[in-house]
Coordinates of all heavy atoms in Angstrom, one line a residue:
A1602 N -10.3 29.0 -11.4 CA -9.5 29.4 -12.6 C -8.1 30.0 -12.2 O -7.1 29.8 -13.0 CB -10.2 30.5 -13.4
L1603 N -8.0 30.5 -11.0 CA -6.7 30.9 -10.6 C -5.8 29.7 -10.3 O -4.5 29.7 -10.6 CB -6.8 31.8 -9.4 CG -5.5 32.5 -8.9 CD1 -4.9 33.4 -9.9 CD2 -5.7 33.3 -7.6
Y1604 N -6.3 28.7 -9.7 CA -5.5 27.4 -9.5 C -5.0 26.9 -10.8 O -3.9 26.5 -11.0 CB -6.5 26.4 -8.8 CG -5.8 25.1 -8.4 CD1 -5.5 24.8 -7.2 CD2 -5.7 24.0 -9.4 CE1 -4.9 23.5 -6.8 CE2 -5.2 22.8 -9.0 CZ -4.8 22.6 -7.7 OH -4.3 21.4 -7.4
M1605 N -5.9 26.8 -11.9 CA -5.5 26.3 -13.2 C -4.5 27.2 -13.8 O -3.7 26.7 -14.5 CB -6.7 26.2 -14.0 CG -7.8 25.1 -13.4 SD -7.1 23.5 -13.0 CE -6.6 22.9 -14.7
H1606 N -4.7 28.5 -13.6 CA -3.7 29.5 -14.1 C -2.3 29.2 -13.6 O -1.3 29.2 -14.3 CB -4.1 30.9 -13.9 CG -3.2 32.0 -14.5 ND1 -3.0 32.0 -15.8 CD2 -2.6 33.0 -13.9 CE1 -2.1 33.1 -16.0 NE2 -1.9 33.6 -14.9
A1607 N -2.2 29.1 -12.3 CA -1.0 28.8 -11.6 C -0.4 27.5 -12.1 O 0.9 27.3 -12.0 CB -1.1 28.9 -10.1
A1608 N -1.2 26.5 -12.4 CA -0.7 25.2 -12.9 C -0.1 25.3 -14.2 O 0.8 24.4 -14.5 CB -1.9 24.2 -12.9
A1609 N -0.4 26.3 -15.0 CA 0.1 26.4 -16.4 C 1.0 27.6 -16.6 O 1.9 27.5 -17.5 CB -1.0 26.6 -17.4
D1610 N 1.0 28.6 -15.8 CA 1.8 29.8 -16.1 C 3.0 29.8 -15.2 O 2.9 30.1 -14.0 CB 0.9 31.1 -15.8 CG 1.5 32.4 -16.3 OD1 2.3 33.0 -15.5 OD2 1.2 32.8 -17.4
E1611 N 4.1 29.8 -15.9 CA 5.4 29.7 -15.2 C 5.7 31.0 -14.4 O 6.2 31.0 -13.3 CB 6.5 29.4 -16.1 CG 6.4 28.0 -16.8 CD 6.8 26.9 -16.0 OE1 7.2 27.0 -14.9 OE2 6.4 25.7 -16.4
D1612 N 5.4 32.1 -15.0 CA 5.7 33.4 -14.5 C 4.9 33.6 -13.2 O 5.5 34.1 -12.2 CB 5.5 34.6 -15.4 CG 6.4 34.7 -16.6 OD1 7.5 34.0 -16.5 OD2 6.1 35.2 -17.7
F1613 N 3.7 33.5 -13.2 CA 2.9 33.7 -12.1 C 3.3 32.7 -10.9 O 3.4 33.1 -9.8 CB 1.4 33.6 -12.4 CG 0.4 33.5 -11.2 CD1 0.5 34.4 -10.2 CD2 -0.5 32.5 -11.0 CE1 -0.3 34.5 -9.1 CE2 -1.3 32.5 -9.9 CZ -1.2 33.4 -9.0
A1614 N 3.4 31.5 -11.4 CA 3.8 30.4 -10.4 C 5.1 30.7 -9.6 O 5.2 30.6 -8.5 CB 3.9 29.0 -11.0
T1615 N 6.1 31.1 -10.4 CA 7.4 31.5 -9.9 C 7.3 32.6 -9.0 O 8.0 32.6 -7.8 CB 8.4 31.7 -11.0 OG1 8.6 30.5 -11.7 CG2 9.7 32.0 -10.4
L1616 N 6.6 33.7 -9.4 CA 6.5 35.0 -8.5 C 5.8 34.7 -7.3 O 6.2 35.2 -6.2 CB 5.9 36.1 -9.4 CG 5.7 37.4 -8.6 CD1 7.2 37.9 -8.3 CD2 5.1 38.5 -9.5
L1617 N 4.8 33.9 -7.4 CA 4.0 33.5 -6.1 C 4.9 32.8 -5.2 O 4.9 33.1 -3.9 CB 2.8 32.7 -6.5 CG 1.9 32.2 -5.3 CD1 1.4 33.4 -4.5 CD2 0.7 31.4 -5.8
I1618 N 5.6 31.8 -5.6 CA 6.5 31.0 -4.8 C 7.6 31.9 -4.1 O 7.8 31.8 -2.9 CB 7.0 29.8 -5.4 CG1 5.9 28.8 -5.7 CG2 8.1 29.1 -4.6 CD1 5.2 28.3 -4.6

Side-chain angles (χ1 to χ4, degrees):
L1603 188 60
Y1604 182 98
M1605 299 305 294
H1606 180 56
D1610 189 277
E1611 301 283 351
D1612 291 339
F1613 171 51
T1615 299
L1616 183 59
L1617 177 59
I1618 293 297

